[in-house]
Amino acid sequence: MLAALPGAIGMLASALYQLIDGILVGQVLGDTAFAAINLAMPFVIINFALADLIGVGSAVPISVRLGQKEEKAANNIFTCACLMIVGTGALIGAVLFFAAPLLFQLLGAEPELAALAVQYLRVYALLSPLTTIIFASRMSMWLNILMSILTAVLEFFLLAVLKWGIWAAALASSLGMIACVAIALYPFARGKLQLKFCRPRFSVSMVKQIVACGSPNFLNNISGRVTSIIMNAVLLRVGGQNAVSIYGILMYVDGLIQPLMYGCCDSLQPAVSYNWGAGSKGRILAIEKYCFSAAAVISLLSAVVMFLFPDQITALFLSGMDEGFLATARLAIQLFAFTYVTRWFSFACQSFMTALERAGEASLISISTALIFPVLLLAALSPFGLTGIWLNFAGSSLLAGILAGLLLLRFWKKHWKTASAT
């Protein structure tokens, strides 16, 4: 549990930076800029998800080769993976740079909103080859914290002091990542670590293995981004720019809560996996009792805070908004709060399945929560307009909880009864 804690803290630090990013853009640049970054961000994350596919996919064969004492092969995979990430970043960055105006036009953004979103996305696109390489290195907790602090300070300086535009917010984030990438990769370049850069030797089988190993994680990452793009397109048509801004507030809040649950559940996965291998049924139950209970406490407390303080949450990101906007935001946040009445259960079940090497069940819960249920409910609740969209999140969470419960029950009947208890 303690060994996994640094990763959870690093993830929380990153989430706090994203929260600060939203607050700074909203408070300094205003509501249109805030809506613009929420339109652009899914495309930024899709680009990062492709790099993460290669980074995660190469980690398994690298570890296997190191375990087999085949260091030259491991070094080759590592070097090839880095080059693939840089190449993919350059290619996708170029596509995003030139396609940005068309993308936001297709989403239905008004000219001013689209222009700001294009500025923001194009900075990330230009620097993509230098930022995506971050997924080739395993960032330590301290580097994650440093990156969060550095980007927050840079963004405050560029936006609040120099009074630069929305493009500076993307520049600050990119520069923070580039600085930490340089720090993380320096020991590899100097040959001071077990893995080293070498002359690359690509092969079709190696690329296929990397893609195969990274695909499950990629699908989990990409599903939520596809949903965000669809959601933004619908929101622009149903409620315009204000609806996109409110959706952005909900996503920033969610982005803070999820790492807290991650810290409670995923940090316990190694212990659960170890005891499953050892056949220690009683210990697994004790660990999972903590996991489910902690996730429930965090989730339910979050629901209460959102339901009781919607106006304060809105004012954290956007100030000086008219009463119509505040009333819509209040309703959205309070309805969104019901998401966390059940979200903890599917999240804990997904973590549990992952720990027991049930990747299929874990991926099904993840993709259903992030993509399948939201899209289905988007169509089913469309007669209710914006209210239907705000209800979508709680409905998806409820359906995910039911699905997770059914999968957990099936697993219990099929596998658990044969596990030995100690």
Side-chain angles (χ1 to χ4, degrees):
M1 188 191 314
L2 292 176
L5 190 58
I9 293 175
M11 188 173 181
L12 181 59
S14 178
L16 287 173
Y17 158 68
Q18 292 170 11
L19 182 68
I20 294 171
D21 174 52
I23 293 172
L24 282 172
V25 171
Q27 296 292 352
V28 177
L29 300 180
D31 59 308
T32 303
F34 184 78
I37 66 171
N38 288 292
L39 278 184
M41 190 53 69
F43 296 103
V44 174
I45 297 177
I46 285 173
N47 187 20
F48 286 150
L50 288 166
D52 193 38
L53 180 152
I54 300 170
V56 171
S58 63
V60 173
I62 287 173
S63 298
V64 171
R65 296 298 181 278
L66 289 175
Q68 295 171 341
K69 307 301 181 183
E70 298 179 10
E71 293 191 2
K72 289 184 178 180
N75 290 335
N76 181 61
I77 296 171
F78 172 68
T79 304
C80 290
C82 289
L83 293 175
M84 288 170 64
I85 289 174
V86 172
T88 302
L91 177 62
I92 302 302
V95 171
L96 291 175
F97 184 89
F98 291 108
L102 177 61
L103 290 173
F104 298 119
Q105 181 183 349
L106 291 175
L107 284 176
E110 294 293 328
E112 181 186 2
L113 177 62
L116 290 175
V118 168
Q119 288 182 39
Y120 188 80
L121 180 57
R122 278 183 163 173
V123 172
Y124 272 112
L126 278 173
L127 297 174
S128 178
L130 299 177
T131 57
T132 53
I133 191 64
I134 199 170
F135 294 99
S137 60
R138 296 184 178 181
M139 297 270 285
S140 68
M141 177 187 72
W142 296 112
L143 265 183
N144 274 302
I145 293 174
L146 174 63
M147 184 174 68
S148 298
I149 295 173
L150 182 59
T151 48
V153 171
L154 275 173
E155 188 165 346
F156 177 81
F157 179 73
L158 296 181
L159 297 185
V161 179
L162 296 183
K163 307 294 183 183
W164 288 358
I166 190 173
W167 58 272
L171 179 63
S173 298
S174 298
L175 290 177
M177 283 187 279
I178 291 169
C180 290
V181 163
I183 295 172
L185 292 183
Y186 179 73
F188 293 102
R190 290 290 304 274
K192 294 184 176 181
L193 297 178
Q194 187 175 19
L195 285 175
K196 302 175 181 64
F197 289 114
C198 66
R199 177 173 292 182
R201 299 184 304 278
F202 284 91
S203 67
V204 174
S205 59
M206 180 191 68
V207 173
K208 284 183 177 180
Q209 185 180 24
I210 289 174
V211 172
C213 292
S215 290
N217 190 68
F218 172 75
L219 291 174
N220 288 341
N221 287 336
I222 209 75
S223 56
R225 308 292 75 79
V226 172
T227 300
S228 294
I229 293 171
I230 296 171
M231 195 73 73
N232 279 328
V234 174
L235 286 168
L236 282 171
R237 285 161 175 76
V238 177
Q241 174 186 309
N242 284 348
V244 174
S245 293
I246 293 170
Y247 176 60
I249 293 173
L250 302 182
M251 292 301 97
Y252 277 113
V253 172
D254 183 67
L256 182 63
I257 299 170
Q258 291 280 9
L260 293 175
M261 289 197 290
Y262 173 91
C264 292
C265 294
D266 285 29
S267 62
L268 296 177
Q269 282 182 4
V272 173
S273 300
Y274 176 85
N275 284 289
W276 175 252
S280 302
K281 179 179 175 182
R283 291 181 181 178
I284 294 175
L285 288 175
I287 295 169
E288 285 302 322
K289 181 179 179 181
Y290 171 83
C291 174
F292 276 75
S293 299
V297 169
I298 292 170
S299 193
L300 293 173
L301 282 177
S302 299
V304 171
V305 170
M306 280 186 283
F307 192 83
L308 294 179
F309 304 103
D311 292 348
Q312 290 79 359
I313 293 174
T314 301
L316 186 65
F317 295 94
L318 297 169
S319 56
M321 306 304 291
D322 60 45
E323 184 54 40
F325 180 95
L326 293 175
T328 304
R330 187 180 304 121
L331 175 64
I333 293 172
Q334 288 182 328
L335 291 178
F336 185 67
F338 288 100
T339 301
Y340 295 96
V341 174
T342 56
R343 182 68 184 97
W344 62 273
F345 182 72
S346 60
F347 192 95
C349 285
Q350 178 185 331
S351 175
F352 177 65
M353 292 296 182
T354 300
L356 301 188
E357 297 183 303
R358 311 299 298 180
E361 288 93 330
S363 295
L364 179 58
I365 295 172
S366 176
I367 295 173
S368 296
T369 305
L371 178 62
I372 298 174
F373 292 148
V375 171
L376 291 176
L377 288 180
L378 198 60
L381 298 174
S382 60
F384 299 98
L386 275 179
T387 301
I389 295 175
W390 308 140
L391 284 170
N392 186 304
F393 306 101
S396 297
S397 181
L398 177 61
L399 292 175
I402 294 172
L403 172 64
L406 293 174
L407 291 174
L408 185 62
L409 181 62
R410 188 183 72 168
F411 173 81
W412 182 280
K413 291 180 178 179
K414 187 176 180 179
H415 299 282
W416 191 261
K417 290 183 179 180
T418 61
S420 60
T422 59

